[in-house]
């Protein structure tokens, strides 16, 4: 497509590099910005550049943070004995929203994926091992909260091998039929696993 | 949702101001940028700010342009007798892609919409009238290529009234069954209009 201006062509080019945004959407967004005041574009542009340049990562859990240690790791109310291993910040946010977990996190920054060229060295696995070593036995349980995909399972398997020398309980979040999900629409693997790992019926 | 960092909160806030992008998508995009080099975020941020600050509009057709007069208006190969009136740049791109039109354009910058507070004064209607006046009779036909919505129809109606004192043919793009569209799935209004405005069958 031949754009009427180099400026708009460049903006469309850059915006459409973002995942899930094609050229048509990028053009729609660029034209939207042109209708808004200059301050709106400046605020957007600056927030993007400053985010990337000034972002810090918690030196304990490797989550995004404003200071050297994030709010969760700095809190005295969290149980230090449990570390929940997740892929990225979004998983931390999702679990925090449930209000069901009071331990700490460790953000891997991705999962092992040979297809996308992500090996164990690209992830914050070394930091997890160091963290457990330097905790002097405080850490009693590691919970894997990884996606039930090939990559998630591979990562969990790799981590289990790395953690085998520590005297730590390793668990994974429960797989099964989602609450509100209808049994007949569940896939075979999920349904099969939910029967195999059935739990005691709570009569309360 | 409580974000782990003010920087990410601000970026999510700004990105989610864009139309069609919610907080979850904005967070996904922000986290994507964090995985890319600093240069990627800089290029994106700069392109957005420069687009808004440096953009020019063709003083003839009001389309986005790099110079005072756009490529189409400056071309000697285009027929100056016909002006196609469109809502925005995307419509110009769409019509240019068909290679079926060799006249000039006039970009209104929107359509009349009382609900969104867009009146005739917010659009480039005055410029169209001036353009026709100063053309000394060169302009022989105005084609409305506006969306078949309430707003598009209102705009066409308003323009027709403004243009009635000029000796100019006014036409509108054909409405009917889309090529490849199945008759039984067409809505009643489109089908009804396609029968009412039937054309002579071309036997070639």
């Amino acid at each position: 497509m031949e754009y009427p201006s180099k400026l708009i062509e460049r903006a469309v080019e850059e915006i459409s590099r973002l995942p899930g945004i094609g050229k048509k959407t990028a053009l729609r967004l660029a034209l939207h910005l042109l209708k808004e005041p200059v301050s709106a574009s400046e605020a957007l542009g600056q927030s993007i550049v400053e985010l990337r340049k000034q972002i810090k990562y918690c030196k304990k859990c490797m989550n995004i943070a404003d200071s050297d240690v994030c709010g969760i790791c700095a809190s005295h109310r969290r149980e230090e004995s449990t570390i929940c291993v997740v892929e990225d910040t979004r998983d931390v946010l999702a679990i925090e929203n449930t209000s069901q977990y009071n331990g700490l996190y460790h953000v891997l920054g991705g999962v092992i994926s040979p297809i996308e060229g992500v090996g164990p060295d690209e992830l914050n696995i070394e930091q997890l091992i160091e963290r457990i070593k330097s905790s002097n036995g405080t850490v009693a349980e590691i919970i894997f909260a990884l996606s039930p995909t090939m990559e998630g399972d591979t990562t969990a398997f790799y981590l289990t091998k790395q953690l085998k020398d520590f005297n730590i309980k390793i668990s994974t979040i429960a797989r099964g039929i989602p609450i509100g999900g209808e049994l007949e629409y569940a896939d075979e693997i999920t349904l099969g696993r939910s029967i195999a790992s059935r739990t005691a019926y709570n009569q309360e």
Side-chain angles (χ1 to χ4, degrees), chain A residues 79-191:
Chain A
E79 286 164 21
E80 289 181 26
S81 59
T82 321
I83 294 177
C84 180
V85 176
V86 295
E87 187 178 333
D88 70 15
T89 299
R90 280 177 293 173
D91 303 324
V92 175
L93 287 170
I95 295 173
E96 284 298 289
N97 270 344
T98 68
S99 305
Q100 294 290 314
Y101 180 66
N102 197 35
L104 302 177
Y105 293 95
H106 193 85
V107 178
L108 293 178
V111 280
I112 296 170
S113 170
I115 294 166
E116 292 184 24
V118 181
D121 295 344
E122 268 82 43
L123 308 176
N124 302 322
I125 292 177
E126 193 58 40
Q127 288 90 333
L128 176 63
I129 307 296
E130 277 305 313
R131 193 176 165 190
I132 296 168
K133 268 186 194 165
S134 60
S135 79
N136 295 319
T138 315
V139 180
E141 182 175 358
I142 298 282
I143 304 170
F144 294 150
L146 301 166
S147 297
T149 57
M150 179 84 89
E151 289 81 11
D153 288 347
T154 307
T155 310
F157 182 72
Y158 180 86
L159 282 172
T160 311
K161 281 207 300 182
Q162 300 292 308
L163 295 169
K164 73 176 181 336
D165 295 336
F166 298 103
N167 182 24
I168 290 179
K169 183 181 165 191
I170 297 176
S171 58
T172 181
I173 52 169
R175 312 285 185 208
I177 308 297
I179 312 290
E182 298 217 32
L183 216 69
E184 60 192 289
Y185 295 120
D187 64 289
E188 295 159 24
I189 298 172
T190 302
L191 190 54

Side-chain angles (χ1 to χ4, degrees), chain A residues 21-48:
Chain A
I21 296 188
K23 300 249 167 173
K24 282 205 168 183
T25 306
L27 181 60
R28 188 166 57 79
L29 297 179
L31 292 178
H32 167 82
L33 287 171
L34 285 177
K35 285 190 182 179
E36 298 288 308
V38 176
S39 60
S41 293
E42 280 179 337
L44 174 61
Q46 276 173 17
S47 73
I48 288 170

Side-chain angles (χ1 to χ4, degrees), chain A residues 45-57:
Chain A
Q46 276 173 17
S47 73
I48 288 170
V49 175
E50 284 177 12
L51 168 70
R52 183 62 188 82
K53 279 191 171 172
Q54 298 174 14
I55 198 75
K56 286 183 178 176
Y57 293 91

